[in-house]
C-alpha cells in the first residue's frame, strides 16, 4: 500500500513540475494583433496571437531598455495547447520617449511596433 501511495505522490509531483515548466516556456510564434494607445499615450492595449497551430499565451515579460521594449510571451499553464490561465489582451505602460516594441521569436527579437516621425505607433517592418 505504501508503494502505491509513494507512486501516486511522485506522479502528482512530476505532473505539477511539468505544468509549471511548460508555463515557463517562451512562445516564439507570438505576435501583437490589434492594438490601441490610450488618449494620454501612457499605455498600449494589445491582443496577442500565436502563429502556430497550437498554443495560448498566459503572460508576457517586458525587458525595457532605454526607449525600447523587448517582450517575451509565455505558454499557458498545463501544456502547449492548454488554455489554463490564457489571456489574449494585455496592457503595456509606455513613456513619451518610447520608440519601439520588439517581440521574441526563435531567431531573436523582431520589431513589432514603432513610433513614426509624427509620433504615431505603427507596425514594424
Amino acid at each position: 500500500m505504501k508503494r502505491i501511495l509513494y507512486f501516486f505522490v511522485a506522479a502528482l509531483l512530476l505532473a505539477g513540475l511539468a505544468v509549471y515548466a511548460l508555463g515557463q516556456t517562451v512562445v516564439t510564434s507570438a505576435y501583437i494583433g490589434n492594438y490601441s494607445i490610450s488618449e494620454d499615450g501612457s499605455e498600449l492595449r494589445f491582443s496577442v496571437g500565436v502563429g502556430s497551430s497550437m498554443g495560448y499565451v498566459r503572460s508576457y515579460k517586458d525587458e525595457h531598455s532605454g526607449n525600447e521594449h523587448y517582450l517575451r510571451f509565455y505558454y499557458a499553464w498545463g501544456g502547449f495547447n492548454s488554455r489554463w490561465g490564457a489571456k489574449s489582451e494585455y496592457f503595456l505602460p509606455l513613456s513619451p520617449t518610447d520608440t519601439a516594441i520588439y517581440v521574441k521569436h526563435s531567431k531573436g527579437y523582431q520589431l513589432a511596433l514603432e513610433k513614426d516621425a509624427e509620433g504615431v505607433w505603427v507596425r514594424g517592418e
Side-chain angles (χ1 to χ4, degrees), residues 12-29:
L12 282 176
L13 288 174
L14 285 173
L17 182 61
V19 166
Y20 176 77
L22 289 171
Q24 299 301 314
T25 306
V26 175
V27 182
T28 57
S29 66

Side-chain angles (χ1 to χ4, degrees), residues 5-6 10 20 23 26 29 33 42 65 69 73 87 93 102 107 118:
L5 181 61
Y6 288 143
Y20 176 77
V26 175
S29 66
S42 66
S65 177
H69 293 268
F73 295 96
K87 293 177 10 182
Y102 295 86
K107 295 181 181 178
E118 289 82 38

Side-chain angles (χ1 to χ4, degrees), residues 2-14:
K2 275 189 172 180
R3 278 189 178 183
I4 293 172
L5 181 61
Y6 288 143
F7 176 77
F8 184 70
V9 169
L12 282 176
L13 288 174
L14 285 173

Side-chain angles (χ1 to χ4, degrees), residues 3-74:
R3 278 189 178 183
I4 293 172
L5 181 61
Y6 288 143
F7 176 77
F8 184 70
V9 169
L12 282 176
L13 288 174
L14 285 173
L17 182 61
V19 166
Y20 176 77
L22 289 171
Q24 299 301 314
T25 306
V26 175
V27 182
T28 57
S29 66
Y31 61 89
I32 294 177
N34 295 328
Y35 68 94
S36 64
I37 308 295
S38 62
E39 285 189 30
D40 64 358
S42 66
E43 186 175 69
L44 169 70
R45 179 182 185 172
F46 62 98
S47 65
V48 175
V50 177
S52 64
S53 62
M54 59 189 266
Y56 296 92
V57 173
R58 69 167 175 85
S59 71
Y60 76 92
K61 182 176 182 183
D62 175 23
E63 295 180 2
H64 194 211
S65 177
N67 297 333
E68 300 172 334
H69 293 268
Y70 294 87
L71 306 182
R72 285 186 291 171
F73 295 96
Y74 295 93

Side-chain angles (χ1 to χ4, degrees), residues 31 55 62 80 91 112 114:
Y31 61 89
D62 175 23
F80 293 118
F91 298 91
E114 64 183 336

